[in-house]
Amino acid sequence: MTKTRNSVAMITALLASTALAVPAAAQTVTIMQGEAPQSMEPGTMGGTYNMSVLDAMYENLVALDEDLTQQPGLATEWSVSEDGMTWTFTLREGVTFHDGTPFDADAVVYTFERLLDESLGLPSGGRFRPIIDSVTAVDPMTAEFSLKTVYPAFPALMAMMHAAIVSPEAGEAGTLETGGGGTGPFELVEWSSGEFVLQQAYDGYWGDAPEVDELRWVWTPEASVASMALMAGEVDVVNAPAPTFAQQIEAADGFELNSDASSRVFWAALNTQIEPFDSMEVRQAVNYATDREALVQALLFGYGSPANSPLGEAVFGYDDTLEPYTYDIDMARQLLEEAGYPDGVEVNLFVQEQETQIAQALQGMWEPAGIQLNITRLESGVMSDVMFAGPEEKAEQDVDMVIASFSSATLDADTQLRALYHSDSFTPTDANIGFYHSERLDEVLDEAASISDTDRRMELYLEAQNIINEEAPHVLLYKPVDLYATRSGIEGVWVRPGGLLVAKGVSVAE
C-alpha cells in the first residue's frame, strides 16, 4: 500500500515537472491589411501597407512618437553646421542587427550609399539624391551628412521609413529584399508571399522588449473579408477597414474603430507625355468631369472629404483656400473640343483590385463628357511594376492613367510635392508617375526646400499648389480619414497620418 502511494506520488511529481517544462504558447497578434507586401527592404518599397510591416523590423536615426514629435532613434543626438550644409549624428551604442552584426557609422554610410547609387536604382533613392551629397563615418559612432543644398527639414527626412538603416552584411548577401535586416524590436521569421508574414520578438533588441511574442501580418483585397475576419476573432487588428463596414464595426460590442486626420490623398495620375494627356486642356477636362462629392459619399460613406490639393490637412504647406475643380460636364466637353477632340477621347486606366470601385465610378462620371475609360485590373505585384515603369514602358503598354495615393511621411510639403511633381522624380526612381514637368514648379520646390524662413516657405508652397491645380497633372479625388479597427483589449497600436500602422508597441490586455 505504501509502495503504491509512493509510486503515485512519484508519477504525479514527474507529470507536474514535465508540465512545467512545456513552453507557453506564443502570444501572437494578427494584423490584416488590404494588400501583400512587395519587399522586405525599405529602399525598394513605397506602399503604406508594406511600410507598416517593415516598421516593426527597422529603425531610423530619428524616431517619431505618437504625437509625431522627433525623438532619438538609432541616433541619440544630432546637430547642423552654421551654414546648414552638414548634419552630424551621434549614434546609439550597443545596438545589433537581427543577423547579430553591430550597428555603427559604417552601417549608416552603407545604407545611404545604396540609396544614392543611381546604378542600383532603388525607388526610394530619388527622395535623397537631390539633397544628400555624401555620408561619412567620422568615427565608429558618428556619421556626417554633407548636403547639396540647405535642407532644414533634414531630421524629418531621416525619420522616413525609406531612410531606415539596413544591415551591410544582409545587403552584401543579397537577402535584404526577401529576408530583411534591421535593428527593430521584431525580426522576420517567415514570409509566405501569398499568405502571411511572421515576425517574432528580437531577443537582442537594445530597447524595451516587445509586449507580445509575435506579429502575424495577413492580407486580403476583399473589404468584406477583412471585416468578417475581425468580427469572427480571426484577426486582432484591421488596418484601413473599408468605410462600407466601418459603421458596422463601430456599432458592434467588443471592437473599436479608430479614426484620425490623414495626410493621404487619392488621385489619378495622367501620363503627360503621351496623347491625349499631353494636352493641359484634356487634363482639365477630366478634372471637370469628376464629381468628388459623389465619390466621398458613395465610396467613403462620409469618412473623408473631396481633395482640393495634393497635400493633406496635416502637412505643412497645405492650402485650405484652394478650390477643387467643380463638377461641370459642359466645361469638360468644351475643353475637349478646344484641345482638338470634339468627338471625345478614349483612355486606358490601370488599377489594382482595391481601386476597382473608384475606376468604375469615374467611368460612369466621364462618359457623358465624351471620355471613354477602359479599365484594366491587375494583381498588386504586377500593378506595382506598371505603376513604377519608366516613360517608354508606359507608352509601349498604353498606360494613360493609374490610380494611386500618397502621404507625406515627414508631414512637410517637400516630401510629397517633390516626389510627385518634380521633374527629377520620374518613375522608376521616385513617384512622378505621369512624368509631369514644369520648370517654374521645379524652381519653387527647390527654393522652398532650401530655406528655413517658414513664412516664405508657406508662400512658395501655396504657389506650387496653384501651379499644380492649374496644369492638372493629376485628377485629385479625395482625402480619406485614417481608419483602423481592433478587438477590445488590443492596445499600443496607432497610425501615422497617411495610414502607416505602428504595431511594434502592441499589447494585449488581460
Side-chain angles (χ1 to χ4, degrees), residues 41 84 94 101 116 156-157 180 214 216 298 304 325 337 360 396 440:
E41 179 182 359
T101 57
L116 299 177
L157 194 70
E214 296 176 340
R216 183 181 177 90
Y325 281 80
E337 187 167 353
Q360 291 171 338
E396 289 173 4
R440 177 55 188 159

Side-chain angles (χ1 to χ4, degrees), residues 221-242:
E222 299 293 337
S224 59
V225 172
S227 177
M228 288 189 293
L230 177 69
M231 301 188 81
E234 296 171 4
V235 302
D236 302 296
V237 182
V238 172
N239 187 15

Side-chain angles (χ1 to χ4, degrees), residues 3-19:
K3 285 185 177 180
T4 301
R5 282 198 297 266
N6 288 343
S7 296
V8 170
M10 289 175 61
I11 292 170
T12 302
L14 179 61
L15 288 173
S17 65
T18 303

Side-chain angles (χ1 to χ4, degrees), residues 161-309:
M161 176 53 63
H162 307 285
I165 307 302
V166 304
S167 161
E169 183 165 304
E172 289 303 297
T175 58
L176 279 174
E177 192 161 354
T178 57
T183 62
F186 288 89
E187 62 180 322
L188 181 66
V189 175
E190 184 177 358
W191 177 19
S192 178
S193 59
E195 299 177 36
F196 65 88
V197 168
L198 182 64
Q199 301 164 336
Q200 69 179 13
Y202 174 45
D203 288 340
Y205 185 56
W206 61 269
D208 293 337
E211 295 284 337
V212 300
D213 300 309
E214 296 176 340
L215 297 179
R216 183 181 177 90
W217 302 82
V218 295
W219 45 86
T220 176
E222 299 293 337
S224 59
V225 172
S227 177
M228 288 189 293
L230 177 69
M231 301 188 81
E234 296 171 4
V235 302
D236 302 296
V237 182
V238 172
N239 187 15
T244 320
F245 301 99
Q247 292 176 330
Q248 177 185 355
I249 294 170
E250 192 170 20
D253 291 334
F255 304 95
E256 294 183 14
L257 179 73
N258 302 274
S259 62
D260 294 297
S262 180
S263 65
R264 195 177 187 190
V265 179
F266 276 77
W267 34 266
L270 311 178
N271 191 337
T272 63
Q273 293 205 350
I274 61 175
E275 295 182 350
F277 292 130
D278 57 345
S279 164
M280 184 174 70
E281 288 78 12
V282 176
R283 301 196 300 267
Q284 291 173 336
V286 292
N287 271 277
Y288 277 113
T290 304
D291 188 344
R292 293 163 178 79
E293 288 283 358
L295 290 175
V296 170
Q297 295 307 315
L299 302 181
L300 300 185
F301 291 81
Y303 289 102
S305 58
N308 70 322
S309 164

Side-chain angles (χ1 to χ4, degrees), residues 183 292 313 362 421 432 450:
T183 62
R292 293 163 178 79
E313 288 93 334
L362 293 178
Y421 301 106
N432 188 341
S450 66

